[in-house]
Amino acid sequence: MKTLVLGFLLMAVCSALSPEEIQRLEKMPGHMKPFGSAGPYFDIPVVNEYPSTRDFFNKYVIGSTPLVIKGAVKETIAYRNWTDEYFIQHPKSKELVFAEARKKEVRTEGGFTISFRKYVKHYTKKAMYMVNGVPKFLKPDVPLPNPLKCKEVMAKLADTVMWYSDGGTRSVLHNDDVDNINCLYRGNKTLVFVNRFDTDNEWVNKVIEHPESSY
């Protein structure tokens, strides 16, 4: 499987860059094209089951190396049962969640609170994007990945977040202050990674919209 690892940004952010920097970027491959479309491309390791805790942390977490684990959640209740009908009919689905009134992330604008059941009934009819902790009544459906089940790791887990929409959502270019395991249950998701260690820090801090770290 191939994904994108960017060592440079392929668009000009006029409000943050000098005229000279903009001219330099305009000459780069991929200028004014979709972010990441010009590569460079690198092979990402693909496995069919979770590695051991030791290998997971030593090879991937500490080494800051992306990893694709195919079929890792197929045996979970969430993978088998999570449908709109399942959510709506759940007796505890009135739990409140946070949603954004747009599909393109704008972190300076707020969102709104809505019951999970109501969100599921309307998210395909309006531009809404739920970004919320997994509702309490659904957490038993999502088991903790095997490499994270030791006490030392469990004590440091930050959150379990649920992204839920009918597609077409886009995030800002940002930096996460925690390591992530993205579990895809429906649809598809494209991740573009920027290797800031191979790029000038001053320049990266200008173009990453939220370098202060937030997931």
Side-chain angles (χ1 to χ4, degrees), residues 23 35 68 95 103 108 132 139 159 180 187 200 203:
Q23 290 180 1
F35 180 62
V68 176
E95 182 176 332
K103 292 187 177 183
T108 56
N132 194 85
K139 284 188 176 181
D159 202 354
N180 294 289
D200 178 76
W203 181 80

Side-chain angles (χ1 to χ4, degrees), residues 185-202:
Y185 287 93
R186 296 201 320 234
N188 58 78
K189 185 179 181 71
T190 300
L191 300 174
V192 180
F193 295 105
V194 177
N195 187 352
R196 65 180 301 149
F197 299 108
D198 288 342
T199 310
D200 178 76
N201 281 337
E202 182 179 355

Side-chain angles (χ1 to χ4, degrees), residues 83-96:
T83 63
D84 290 356
E85 292 73 22
Y86 175 81
F87 292 147
I88 292 172
Q89 294 173 8
H90 199 290
K92 296 183 179 180
S93 63
K94 291 183 179 180
E95 182 176 332
L96 296 179

Side-chain angles (χ1 to χ4, degrees), residues 70-143:
K70 300 186 69 173
V73 298
K74 282 189 174 181
E75 300 304 319
T76 66
I77 295 175
Y79 185 83
R80 294 195 302 267
N81 294 349
W82 278 12
T83 63
D84 290 356
E85 292 73 22
Y86 175 81
F87 292 147
I88 292 172
Q89 294 173 8
H90 199 290
K92 296 183 179 180
S93 63
K94 291 183 179 180
E95 182 176 332
L96 296 179
V97 296
F98 177 84
E100 300 176 2
R102 67 199 66 82
K103 292 187 177 183
K104 171 63 175 72
E105 183 182 22
V106 181
R107 296 194 177 187
T108 56
E109 298 184 16
F112 58 93
T113 300
I114 186 174
S115 76
F116 184 66
R117 179 180 296 174
K118 187 174 181 180
Y119 175 84
V120 176
K121 288 182 177 180
H122 294 281
Y123 79 101
T124 59
K125 303 173 185 177
K126 299 180 180 180
M128 296 193 293
Y129 182 24
M130 175 183 147
V131 183
N132 194 85
V134 176
K136 292 180 181 179
F137 70 94
L138 291 177
K139 284 188 176 181
D141 295 354
V142 186

